[in-house]
Amino acid sequence: MQELLDKVARVAVQAGEIALACSKEARVKADGSPITQADLEANAFITQALMQISPYQVCSEEAVLGYEARKDLEYFWLVDPLDGTKDFAANLSGWSINIALIHHSKPILGVVYAPALKELYVGLDGFGARSYEVDSTTLQSFRLESGVRLCGDISARVKQAGSELESSLLACDSVFHSSALTQEFIAHYGLESIKLGSSLKFCALARGEADIYPRFNGTKEWDTAASQVIVEQSGGAVISVQTGKPLSYNKKHFANDYFVAFAANQVGGKIYEDVCSSRLPLACKASFYGLVVWVAGLAGSGKSTICKELYIRLRDSGLSVVYLDGDELRDVLGAYSYDKQGRISVAKKRADLARLLSRQGVITIVSTISMFDEIYQYNREHFPNYLEVYISCAYEELIRRDQKQLYSKALKGELPNVVGVDIDYDEPKAHLQIDNTTLGGIDEKVGQILAAIQSK
């Protein structure tokens, strides 16, 4: 495996040289993220090179390997051909080439190369983590064993800062992707901060140049896999705020949990224990930040009543929250048909609006029928912090309630396109199901949702 690491390191350096020669002009992809010619050319080179030096398949940000194709793979490559495209396009130096080898759900080999800085970082189970100064002109003489071993050594910082270092820890923050919650975390623990681009924040932890890297907004598996190996092999850790455990990989979707990365000197410390034990203050809890609560149920199930009470409870707790009612949103979003395809189209628009609010840290509660597998899958792929709630109700009770006379008209043939009558629906495999056949007990039902949020 060490021989493979050597080859991958050389691939990353060569890909970096290709990227350096490309234009900095960026365009916007369909998902709203930027892309440059450097992303595409580096990706093509890396993919071809990895296939030549190993039998493993390649999954890249620019050429995604679907879940069905990779879910049973023992090994596969996970690549971000240009991490920090905004830094690259702005002619900053904080961008990198990231290549990781995934073994089942764990990254075991990682290479990060920052071409503009000529900095190479590698990590491998059993080999440790090391750094190098290298580019295409020195690649011929490159040897893995010659690197500086990384162990989160803070001695240089101690010598420079003296006793001041003991009283203030240093956190890494993103140049372009900081968030209100990240700032809340930094302020709560009284941390100093520095801004770095791409995976260089992780590398700063491994080098002992910083202590903590909190990340409370969206990242994908290819953003973190290579860097996680380097941090872990230097004695540090990358911990999910949701689970209190290291980030895992090869999930059905690529969205990471929010996380906090720790240098070796912080593993076992107070903040580390707070994150691992879910003892973060409410305002810092990733389980609330940018959360989308998607509440589905047939007409008359009582989902709106429950959603309104949930909104009040969260608002009164001082959290930033909005409630989006499905019927009201349909009026705002324009004329969509009520047939199945029209319902799916308007549901995706609701989801896109919720995602926009989520990115700004707002808790978004959506009350909607939208009971189709295509929507559940769409949400799971697009929301990094998502809770799906199904409000069920016995069909006979729905018929009895029928305040809008939807069912009575549909059953008489007077009203087409009613979900549950002439449009079949997919019962969701929700995170939480609440039986609302019997009305009342709303405090308990809302309490179930709050408990589900807290346990995420």
Side-chain angles (χ1 to χ4, degrees), residues 364-403:
T364 307
I365 304 167
V366 182
S367 171
T368 177
I369 296 176
S370 305
M371 294 172 62
F372 307 110
D373 285 338
E374 185 174 338
I375 297 303
Y376 311 143
Q377 182 64 28
Y378 186 84
N379 289 350
R380 283 175 162 79
E381 290 175 353
H382 288 83
F383 298 135
N385 196 9
Y386 176 62
L387 180 70
E388 191 172 277
V389 181
Y390 173 36
I391 307 299
S392 61
C393 180
Y395 190 68
E396 296 77 10
E397 178 64 12
L398 294 176
I399 300 296
R400 188 193 67 78
R401 292 176 190 172
D402 202 17
Q403 292 181 346

Side-chain angles (χ1 to χ4, degrees), residues 135-148:
D135 62 15
S136 60
T137 64
T138 58
L139 190 58
Q140 188 69 28
S141 60
F142 168 75
R143 295 293 180 272
L144 272 182
E145 297 79 6
S146 66
V148 176

Side-chain angles (χ1 to χ4, degrees), residues 74-322:
E74 185 177 5
Y75 294 95
F76 70 93
W77 296 107
L78 188 58
V79 176
D80 190 342
L82 203 163
D83 182 28
T85 300
K86 288 186 176 180
D87 294 81
F88 177 83
N91 206 27
L92 301 176
S93 58
W95 53 279
S96 63
I97 311 290
N98 299 351
I99 306 175
L101 182 63
I102 307 299
H103 178 49
H104 295 305
S105 62
K106 176 180 170 61
I108 60 168
L109 178 156
V111 172
V112 172
Y113 181 54
L117 300 172
K118 300 181 181 180
E119 292 178 1
L120 174 68
Y121 301 87
V122 305
L124 174 67
D125 278 356
F127 176 76
R130 301 193 187 199
S131 67
Y132 313 79
E133 184 174 328
V134 63
D135 62 15
S136 60
T137 64
T138 58
L139 190 58
Q140 188 69 28
S141 60
F142 168 75
R143 295 293 180 272
L144 272 182
E145 297 79 6
S146 66
V148 176
R149 188 173 292 276
L150 302 177
C151 57
D153 183 8
I154 64 171
S155 57
R157 284 170 57 209
V158 170
K159 185 179 293 186
Q160 182 178 4
S163 60
E164 294 179 5
L165 187 66
E166 298 179 5
S167 60
S168 181
L169 300 177
L170 187 60
C172 294
D173 194 9
S174 176
V175 175
F176 290 103
H177 302 288
S178 187
S179 67
L181 184 56
T182 299
Q183 297 304 315
E184 186 79 37
F185 180 96
I186 290 171
H188 176 79
Y189 287 105
L191 308 175
E192 300 294 328
S193 66
I194 56 170
K195 288 188 176 291
L196 295 171
S198 68
S199 291
L200 298 180
K201 296 180 281 294
F202 291 101
C203 296
L205 303 183
R207 290 169 66 111
E209 295 174 351
D211 303 292
I212 295 174
Y213 168 31
R215 183 66 182 237
F216 291 95
N217 61 1
T219 60
K220 298 293 181 67
E221 291 184 4
W222 44 70
D223 295 317
T224 59
S227 302
Q228 182 165 333
V229 179
I230 293 164
V231 169
E232 290 177 345
Q233 291 301 310
S234 70
V238 182
I239 303 298
S240 161
V241 175
Q242 276 90 330
T243 68
K245 299 177 181 179
L247 291 181
S248 63
Y249 294 80
N250 200 17
K251 305 186 296 294
K252 194 167 187 177
H253 57 81
F254 289 100
N256 284 326
D257 292 344
Y258 297 159
F259 63 83
V260 182
F262 297 90
N265 68 308
Q266 290 303 303
V267 173
K270 173 179 170 29
I271 303 177
Y272 176 86
E273 293 298 329
D274 282 355
V275 173
C276 290
S277 305
S278 296
R279 290 200 298 261
L280 293 175
L282 186 63
C284 292
K285 284 210 170 192
S287 58
F288 284 96
Y289 186 84
L291 171 69
V292 175
V293 184
W294 191 271
V295 184
L298 293 173
S301 61
K303 57 188 180 296
S304 297
T305 301
I306 292 173
C307 286
K308 289 173 183 176
E309 183 61 27
L310 175 64
Y311 165 77
I312 292 170
R313 293 274 290 274
L314 292 173
R315 182 199 63 191
D316 291 350
S317 296
L319 296 168
S320 178
V321 57
V322 297

Side-chain angles (χ1 to χ4, degrees), residues 18-32:
I18 291 172
L20 282 170
C22 290
S23 166
K24 301 292 192 295
E25 184 177 352
R27 58 183 174 82
V28 178
K29 294 191 288 188
D31 65 359

